[in-house]
Amino acid sequence: MSHERTSLTAKKIARFLILIDAVPRFAGLLPADAASTAEAILRASGAVGRRHIDMMRAPWTQRFYEIAEAWTARGQLIWFGLRKRWMADAVEEAIAAGATQLLVVGAGFDPLATIVARRHPEITCVEIDAPATAEPKRAGVRGAGFERTNLHLCAADLSKRSLGEVLRETPWRSDARSVVVAEGLLMYLDVKDVKAFFRAVHEHTGPGSRVAFSYVDGDDAGRPHLGTLDWLIRTSLRLAGETMRWGIRPARLPKFVAENGFSVIEQADGEALRKKYLAPAGLPEEPIAAYEYLALVEHARG
């Protein structure tokens, strides 16, 4: 994954939030304030031109994505929105259960930590991303007026600096119950780096802490496999310089995280999110092209 330029995927996902918000039937599916906060950050960051942001709310753009999905797989766009909603809910549930800190790793232009810092001034919120993405994000947060004393945006390449070293530059406490988010991140790491990530998070969070993350299916060798969308998604990411490297079968995840200090609380796929979010919204038949799985794990005691 390139750290020399602002992540193309990070900019794309932020723009997708705006597009999802502009589709009337998806009203209420995104986390509260997610689209408006992401849009304000993106506009103030300068990372994406104003015209390219405005077009996300244009009817012809919505139609274009409908046509594009018809040729590939319907439901790709809504998957990103439901993934954001699930992550936001996992964080709120962890805070309700006693977490006093939030860490978002590979944050991109995601609005989650910004929203949590505003909603929960007592929660220490830390974001980490590579400098090429974190610096325009920081400018966007500042320019949009979202800075808070409990919000800390760290520009750091974790392939060159340890998680502990970066966290020591913030008020983070390694003994406190925390919630960590790694959305759309781990599949871009080698398996040894995924294991190192979980060990580092275990070391720098207290018992009862949780990690919410997304991951993709994999073969016996740990190579990622995305089902019917495998070639399309992996090729587009490779052309963008953001190659997927790690995947694991859902049945193997409990053993994998247990070896690194965590136990599984929940695993969710597209059908689980359909029941949790789409059915109550009156959209039980809405297509979902979920090429990932979501997992919530807890810091094992002892």
Side-chain angles (χ1 to χ4, degrees):
M1 195 168 181
S2 174
H3 298 292
E4 303 301 322
R5 61 180 181 181
T6 304
S7 168
L8 296 178
T9 298
K11 293 189 287 187
K12 178 186 74 174
I13 297 300
R15 291 169 67 203
F16 277 177
L17 284 179
I18 303 169
L19 177 58
I20 293 167
D21 187 58
V23 178
R25 72 179 185 278
F26 294 156
L29 291 178
L30 290 174
D33 301 325
S36 60
T37 303
E39 181 173 357
I41 292 171
L42 206 57
R43 287 185 183 279
S45 73
V48 176
R50 184 173 296 274
R51 180 172 62 89
H52 290 93
I53 298 173
D54 291 341
M55 65 186 287
M56 290 296 101
R57 296 193 180 276
W60 68 265
T61 303
Q62 298 170 32
R63 182 58 182 154
F64 170 81
Y65 275 97
E66 288 175 0
I67 295 171
E69 286 194 352
W71 281 96
T72 53
R74 291 186 64 202
Q76 297 174 63
L77 184 64
I78 192 57
W79 168 252
F80 292 114
L82 294 178
R83 189 179 77 177
K84 293 289 182 190
R85 175 70 176 274
W86 186 89
M87 293 285 173
D89 285 353
V91 168
E92 289 295 336
E93 290 164 9
I95 291 172
T100 61
Q101 302 181 136
L102 166 65
L103 170 63
V104 183
V105 183
F109 291 93
D110 184 85
L112 178 58
T114 302
I115 292 171
V116 171
R118 182 171 63 220
R119 186 178 297 158
H120 299 283
E122 77 284 3
I123 301 296
T124 298
C125 299
V126 177
E127 283 191 7
I128 302 176
D129 210 332
T133 300
E135 287 166 359
K137 169 71 170 293
R138 183 186 289 141
V141 168
R142 182 186 306 113
F146 293 149
E147 287 184 308
R148 295 291 186 277
T149 57
N150 62 324
L151 177 62
H152 308 271
L153 279 64
C154 302
D157 185 345
L158 291 179
S159 68
K160 299 177 180 178
R161 300 180 63 194
S162 71
L163 180 63
E165 180 185 354
V166 177
L167 290 176
R168 281 192 289 274
E169 298 173 355
T170 75
W172 188 267
R173 290 179 49 202
S174 292
D175 61 342
R177 179 175 290 196
S178 311
V179 56
V180 178
V181 173
E183 180 187 356
L185 171 69
L186 300 183
M187 61 282 292
Y188 296 104
L189 307 181
D190 292 321
V191 63
K192 63 179 179 58
D193 295 321
V194 177
K195 292 178 180 179
F197 168 80
F198 281 109
R199 289 195 294 268
V201 169
H202 189 274
E203 180 182 355
H204 295 288
T205 59
S209 295
R210 298 176 182 178
V211 185
F213 61 97
S214 60
Y215 69 98
V216 299
D217 200 358
D219 60 19
D220 290 338
R223 293 183 293 257
H225 182 70
L226 308 178
T228 57
L229 297 176
D230 186 80
W231 181 87
L232 175 66
I233 294 174
R234 292 180 65 185
T235 299
S236 62
L237 288 171
R238 187 163 51 249
L239 291 174
E242 299 177 358
T243 303
M244 286 191 178
R245 303 181 185 279
W246 176 72
I248 188 169
R249 291 174 181 158
R252 295 186 175 183
L253 187 71
K255 182 176 184 293
F256 180 87
V257 298
E259 291 172 347
N260 295 284
F262 292 88
S263 58
V264 172
I265 298 175
E266 179 186 352
Q267 292 201 68
D269 58 10
E271 288 309 305
L273 269 59
R274 178 190 306 282
K275 293 177 182 177
K276 187 171 184 178
Y277 299 118
L278 292 182
L283 299 169
E285 305 302 321
E286 184 71 31
I288 304 176
Y291 65 86
E292 297 168 283
Y293 296 91
L294 307 177
L296 183 64
V297 302
E298 188 169 88
H299 187 299
R301 297 177 182 273

